Amino acid sequence: MERELFTVAACISPLDGKAMQKARERQESLAKPPGSLGGLEEISVKLAGITGEVISSIDKSCVVVMCADNGVVEEGVASTPQSVTMAQTINFTRRLTGVGALAESFGSDLLIVDMGINGRIPDELYDDIPLRNTHKIVNRRIRPGTDNLARGPAMTRQEAVRCIMTGIEMAKAVKSEGFDILGVGEMGIGNTTTSAAVLSAITGKDSSFTCGRGGGLNDKGYAGKQQIVDSVSSEYRACGGILEQVASGSLSGEAAADRCIDILARMGGFDICAMAGVFIGAAAERIPAVIDGYISVVAALAAAVIAPGTADYMFASHKSFEKGYMLAVEALGLEPFLSLGMRLGEGSGCPIAFDVIRGACDVMKNMATFEEAEINDNYLEEIRKGGCF
């Protein structure tokens, strides 16, 4: 299975440079001051690189929601009871959650996957075939939640790889069903702890940089959470973290990928591993992938370590309120284009971001060029030289 994972990672190709150049040229020809649409212009150019089309279209969108429980909640790192994972997973099918309501509002579908919830989902809510019925839950359970990472490895390496491959499977399903874009969300009480630990191990930063209060935590619980994150990541931080070692040349890309899988197995969650797989699969299938919040961005960073080039296919939706988000998103070289103070997770930022990206496409498609608008653009010659804004 690992061989299959690295085969998929090796299939990720660079963005289409020719399409991106033509997209830039079209942006320059549109009847507006150069660069005046800011990030929308950057989005359209990147989409051209992903799709190979100068004018891309976003007609069908889907949020992939990975659901799993985490044994570390035994340590009091979450104020929310673990039973909420199962309750909200069921509520996804009814579109009664934050991401569900937003998906309905913005016309997106959900692909809900049980990776290992600690509880029994009613059999009638399961469907083994992804996207056959988007109001069902795809059963890809590993087991009823990970082990307690504070006392030992959260999962085996084989389980981590299996989760990643499940994520790749879901990305392929999204592609085969004709979706133009996907988002990556989650549900799993305790997963801000697993995310903080993974981020610390990858970046070499301690809990003061990576660990927030999640869904709400008192001072005692927060201190305990930080202690756990620092303890389990200390071995990796002592080496400076994966990113620093790769940058210095002391760790090869292949060795970094191998170590990242070990980190995910030691302190990650079934949800995070599967989410990383979705990002890898999306890049392999040349589908734009939207990052949601903190857990999503940590999974995205892990994906980029395992499969370099994956980040080229990502868009960062919103700036999460959770500590550590900016550390991860900057490591990916991305910038979120929404700032709404959100910290819900679930993939809730993705349906909003889909519409922003759709707007960038529609500008490229529907806005008139200077020639079409019968405007002489000679007045822009000085501005195009730069320094006028």
Side-chain angles (χ1 to χ4, degrees):
M1 193 173 285
E2 283 197 35
R3 183 179 297 176
E4 185 180 356
L5 167 57
F6 289 116
T7 298
V8 173
C11 290
I12 297 171
S13 55
L15 299 181
D16 188 328
K18 291 182 179 180
M20 293 175 76
Q21 181 56 38
K22 290 180 180 179
R24 290 189 191 97
E25 291 170 359
R26 177 161 177 82
Q27 282 286 357
E28 285 295 314
S29 75
L30 297 178
K32 58 179 172 57
S36 58
L37 283 176
L40 292 179
E41 298 185 19
E42 297 170 9
I43 289 168
S44 67
V45 171
K46 186 171 181 176
L47 275 174
I50 294 171
T51 66
E53 302 289 336
V54 176
I55 301 175
S56 304
S57 61
I58 301 295
D59 299 317
K60 289 183 66 178
S61 55
C62 181
V63 184
V64 183
V65 188
M66 295 297 185
C67 309
D69 275 307
N70 301 279
V72 72
V73 298
E74 296 173 355
E75 305 297 323
V77 296
S79 61
T80 307
Q82 192 176 68
S83 59
V84 171
T85 301
M86 183 173 68
Q88 288 295 76
T89 300
I90 292 171
N91 283 328
F92 288 142
T93 69
R94 302 166 180 164
R95 303 302 190 263
L96 298 177
T97 66
V99 70
L102 287 164
E104 289 286 285
S105 178
F106 286 91
S108 296
D109 278 307
L110 297 184
L111 171 50
I112 311 156
V113 186
D114 176 6
M115 293 302 303
I117 296 168
N118 186 15
R120 184 173 177 81
I121 299 288
D123 290 341
E124 62 269 20
L125 290 180
Y126 278 133
D127 189 338
D128 281 343
I129 300 178
L131 295 169
R132 179 164 64 180
N133 184 338
T134 61
H135 289 267
K136 297 281 189 178
I137 301 165
V138 178
N139 186 357
R140 293 294 184 271
R141 292 172 63 84
I142 305 297
R143 50 187 167 90
T146 57
D147 294 328
N148 183 349
L149 64 87
R151 302 180 186 180
M155 68 189 87
T156 67
R157 183 180 173 96
Q158 291 76 18
E159 287 173 332
V161 173
R162 180 179 164 190
C163 289
I164 295 169
M165 292 306 301
T166 297
I168 291 171
E169 176 199 358
M170 296 306 143
K172 288 181 178 179
V174 169
K175 176 73 170 184
S176 67
E177 290 298 319
F179 288 91
D180 306 301
I181 194 168
L182 62 78
V184 184
E186 42 62 42
M187 183 65 228
I189 301 304
N191 62 12
T192 59
T193 301
T194 57
S195 297
V198 169
L199 183 59
S200 285
I202 290 176
T203 62
K205 302 292 186 181
D206 65 25
S207 64
S208 65
F209 292 90
T210 67
C211 187
R213 293 178 184 258
L217 203 57
N218 62 26
D219 289 347
K220 181 180 178 180
Y222 183 41
K225 181 178 179 179
Q226 289 181 301
Q227 184 178 16
I228 290 168
V229 168
D230 284 335
S231 176
V232 299
S233 66
S234 60
E235 174 187 346
Y236 300 93
R237 288 187 292 107
C239 302
I242 292 179
L243 298 184
E244 184 178 317
Q245 289 180 288
V246 171
S248 68
S250 62
L251 194 68
S252 70
E254 289 183 4
D258 185 72
R259 187 169 299 178
C260 190
I261 294 171
D262 280 341
I263 287 169
L264 289 171
R266 171 65 185 88
M267 63 196 76
F270 297 147
D271 50 356
I272 296 173
C273 294
M275 293 162 76
V278 176
F279 285 114
I280 294 169
E285 297 290 337
R286 302 192 74 89
I287 309 170
V290 175
I291 299 166
D292 179 36
Y294 182 52
I295 293 91
S296 187
V297 79
V298 172
L301 183 58
V305 174
I306 295 169
T310 303
D312 289 340
Y313 291 82
M314 300 175 188
F315 293 92
S317 60
H318 70 99
K319 180 182 177 181
S320 172
F321 185 84
E322 182 72 11
K323 184 187 289 187
Y325 172 84
M326 288 307 298
L327 174 65
V329 83
E330 287 171 3
L332 286 165
L334 302 174
E335 184 177 349
F337 43 78
L338 298 170
S339 182
L340 300 169
M342 294 172 65
R343 56 180 183 274
L344 176 62
E346 299 181 3
S348 53
C350 298
I352 307 170
F354 293 155
D355 253 26
V356 174
I357 296 170
R358 186 176 291 113
C361 294
D362 288 345
V363 165
M364 284 284 276
K365 179 181 178 181
N366 300 322
M367 191 172 180
T369 63
F370 284 105
E371 182 179 358
E372 291 165 343
E374 299 181 351
I375 297 173
N376 187 329
D377 63 347
N378 289 340
Y379 73 95
L380 290 174
E381 286 185 13
E382 193 67 26
I383 293 175
R384 285 176 174 145
K385 293 177 183 177
C388 294
F389 294 102

